[in-house]
Amino acid sequence: MENVNFEDIFEGKMAKNEIVEPKDWMPENYRKHLIRQISQHAHSEIVGMLPEGNWITRAPSLRSKLVLLAKVQDEGGHGLYLYTAAESLGTSRDEMLDALHTGKAKYSSIFNYPTLTWADIGAVGWLVDGAAIMNQVMLQRTSYGPYARAMVRICKEESFHQRQGYEIMTRMAFGTPDQKAMAQDALNRWWFPTLMMFGPPDIESPNSENAIKWRIKRETNDQLRQRFVNQTVEQVEYLGLTIPDEKLKWNEAKKGYDFSEPNWAEFKNIIKGNGPCNKERLETRLNAHKNGEWVRAAAAAFGKKQMEQYAA
Amino acid sequence: MSDSQGPLWEVFVQKKAGQPFVHCGNLHAFDKEMALENARDLYTRRGEGMALWVVPTAAIVASSPEDQGPFFEPSNDKVFRHPTFYPLPDVIKHM
């Protein structure tokens, strides 16, 4: 039999822009990189439900409550799409949840900031989901099939999230002076944390090189961040609000805005676990997991019985 | 480590009556009923379909990508299965 060099086949696929499927051979580092990235993406969706979930009971109208419930439910669904995509690489749900619960795996640092007012729910949908879309649109063409397909589905749903957030901001920005002040305050607090979502600057991003080489990512952190700023300025102007950055200025030469870097020391500190809500988020997640224990046990026992009857 | 989520199921959605069921993803569930309800909640929140199939992933038998060449080889040399293999006389306009 001919000696097949799997590495050559894989590199050939990369060169031809082809998609890798679960049963295809892949380098161990590619697999590891994907498991880390997809599971942390899934964790971000799940933990991302928490800052918004705490406003469901306080939404200012029945309509806004229904919308927020639907959005938070979507985020849970996104987590599930992503967990099964990661499982197709040979990890298990229990392993991934364990990594989240013991702090071994990270989730997006943005969810360690508090949602203090209703305007924050607007800013989160508009800016945080907006930044996530920027990243996820790129990931629809990522080289791993199950991840790319999950992203197509997620992107369709995210645009609802961003629009409902912008609607909240619009209502407040065009509302009473107090409401407008709340909208500005939310923008002030969420602007730089949102810019951090794209990750550290390219020159100090440890995982970027392989991610680009393997076409897991197709654009760098700085490219995505620049595009986000370019696109968002107009949306802020419409609201009559001000981006809290004195250096923000159109640069005709690069056909884009110049802007200040976020505080990267703050970013690193949050990743280390010292953000304003790290402890609270993890505790809430752990409680949810613990309180659901009996449901999982009951479902497993029931399922086992069903399967036995089916086999008999 | 054992998995606490139950076995994996593949989900197929039919968009409209008469159309094929198309694979859309997978999920965990402990039994058939739960698989079907989870599939509804996870994959059809926006009217994506009017019928669902859920199939235990373990029940699917798949060809392996490595054998793709030899496995499908028998059909590669049978060009005579395609209608364009047979030239038509110029005078025949339709067939």
Side-chain angles (χ1 to χ4, degrees):
Chain A
M1 206 174 136
E2 213 180 319
N3 216 341
V4 190
N5 187 335
F6 290 116
E7 200 133 12
D8 288 347
I9 297 178
F10 180 84
E11 292 302 333
K13 261 188 201 147
M14 289 292 127
K16 280 184 285 181
N17 232 348
E18 286 175 0
I19 297 297
V20 180
E21 293 295 340
K23 288 186 177 168
D24 296 350
W25 184 90
M26 59 188 90
E28 210 37 48
N29 283 337
Y30 176 82
R31 185 185 298 276
K32 271 195 200 139
H33 186 111
L34 278 170
I35 289 178
R36 185 185 56 81
Q37 180 171 334
I38 301 174
S39 65
Q40 298 194 8
H41 195 162
H43 299 330
S44 302
E45 302 283 356
I46 298 299
V47 177
M49 292 195 281
L50 304 178
E52 295 182 304
N54 75 14
W55 274 93
I56 289 173
T57 54
R58 296 177 285 164
S61 69
L62 183 57
R63 178 181 181 274
S64 55
K65 180 184 272 203
L66 286 172
V67 168
L68 187 57
L69 266 172
K71 180 193 190 285
V72 172
Q73 188 193 12
D74 275 351
E75 306 296 2
H78 296 175
L80 295 179
Y81 304 152
L82 288 162
Y83 280 131
T84 50
E87 285 164 31
S88 70
L89 291 156
T91 183
S92 73
R93 188 76 55 100
D94 283 348
E95 274 176 289
M96 287 187 277
L97 288 180
D98 199 52
L100 172 65
H101 294 158
T102 56
K104 216 177 101 199
K106 306 291 178 202
Y107 53 86
S108 181
S109 59
I110 193 84
F111 301 119
N112 291 316
Y113 289 92
T115 42
L116 302 177
T117 74
W118 177 247
D120 287 35
I121 298 304
V124 167
W126 167 45
L127 296 174
V128 174
D129 287 63
I133 291 172
M134 199 62 72
N135 188 39
Q136 292 174 155
V137 163
M138 165 190 76
L139 289 172
Q140 289 181 104
R141 295 181 301 128
T142 190
S143 59
Y144 187 57
Y147 194 23
R149 290 190 286 273
M151 280 301 126
V152 170
R153 185 171 284 281
I154 287 176
C155 281
K156 271 188 207 158
E157 303 188 345
E158 290 280 6
S159 62
F160 142 59
H161 298 173
Q162 193 184 18
R163 297 224 185 157
Q164 65 84 33
Y166 196 58
E167 187 198 66
I168 293 174
M169 290 304 278
T170 309
R171 289 193 171 201
M172 300 200 73
F174 291 96
T176 66
D178 279 352
Q179 286 173 321
K180 186 170 180 180
M182 276 169 82
Q184 181 64 54
D185 171 58
L187 174 59
N188 291 349
R189 283 182 290 106
W190 288 95
W191 177 253
F192 283 111
T194 302
L195 295 189
M196 294 176 193
M197 285 176 69
F198 298 99
D202 295 349
I203 43 165
E204 45 188 279
S205 174
N207 299 313
S208 275
E209 202 182 316
N210 277 339
I212 296 277
K213 186 179 88 186
W214 286 323
R215 292 188 296 100
I216 294 171
K217 291 183 70 162
R218 292 179 178 257
E219 286 168 289
T220 68
N221 298 352
D222 286 336
Q223 285 170 331
L224 291 166
R225 186 162 26 243
Q226 179 71 56
R227 178 163 333 124
F228 175 79
V229 173
N230 291 351
Q231 189 177 300
T232 308
V233 169
E234 181 191 63
Q235 296 162 14
V236 178
E237 283 170 355
Y238 171 78
L239 296 174
L241 301 178
T242 310
I243 292 174
D245 179 1
E246 284 173 4
K247 287 193 188 148
L248 186 96
K249 199 171 157 244
W250 178 255
N251 179 335
E252 184 60 29
K254 73 170 184 186
K255 297 277 174 212
Y257 286 91
D258 291 331
F259 55 92
S260 305
E261 288 285 314
N263 181 344
W264 292 116
E266 179 182 313
F267 177 74
K268 281 179 194 146
N269 198 34
I270 292 179
I271 289 190
K272 274 191 210 141
N274 304 320
C277 299
N278 292 58
K279 201 163 161 266
E280 184 191 332
R281 298 290 183 242
L282 203 55
E283 266 173 23
T284 311
R285 177 86 269 285
L286 276 170
N287 275 338
H289 192 69
K290 231 185 288 161
N291 294 337
E293 180 79 63
W294 70 272
V295 180
R296 291 192 297 279
F302 180 74
K304 194 166 166 251
K305 218 164 78 184
Q306 294 279 100
M307 289 301 176
E308 281 164 5
Q309 279 170 2
Y310 183 66
Chain B
M1 194 188 297
S2 80
D3 202 303
S4 64
Q5 312 290 317
L8 200 58
W9 304 69
E10 300 299 320
V11 181
F12 299 78
V13 177
Q14 187 189 39
K15 212 169 166 184
K16 282 184 194 152
Q19 291 191 350
F21 283 73
V22 178
H23 183 247
C24 70
N26 46 26
L27 49 78
H28 288 273
F30 287 103
D31 67 7
K32 291 185 268 187
E33 203 181 330
M34 187 188 284
L36 202 55
E37 286 175 359
N38 285 359
R40 176 199 60 197
D41 293 345
L42 194 54
Y43 289 107
T44 58
R45 286 200 299 279
R46 290 173 173 78
E48 287 90 340
M50 53 160 299
L52 280 171
W53 286 351
V54 289
V55 180
T57 306
I60 289 181
V61 183
S63 64
S64 75
E66 287 83 43
D67 298 340
Q68 187 189 340
F71 189 73
F72 292 103
E73 203 275 331
S75 69
N76 288 344
D77 59 350
K78 297 178 180 61
V79 283
F80 46 83
R81 281 198 171 123
H82 299 280
T84 45
F85 179 73
Y86 305 91
L88 272 190
D90 286 345
V91 290
I92 309 287
K93 295 283 181 252
H94 301 286
M95 180 180 279

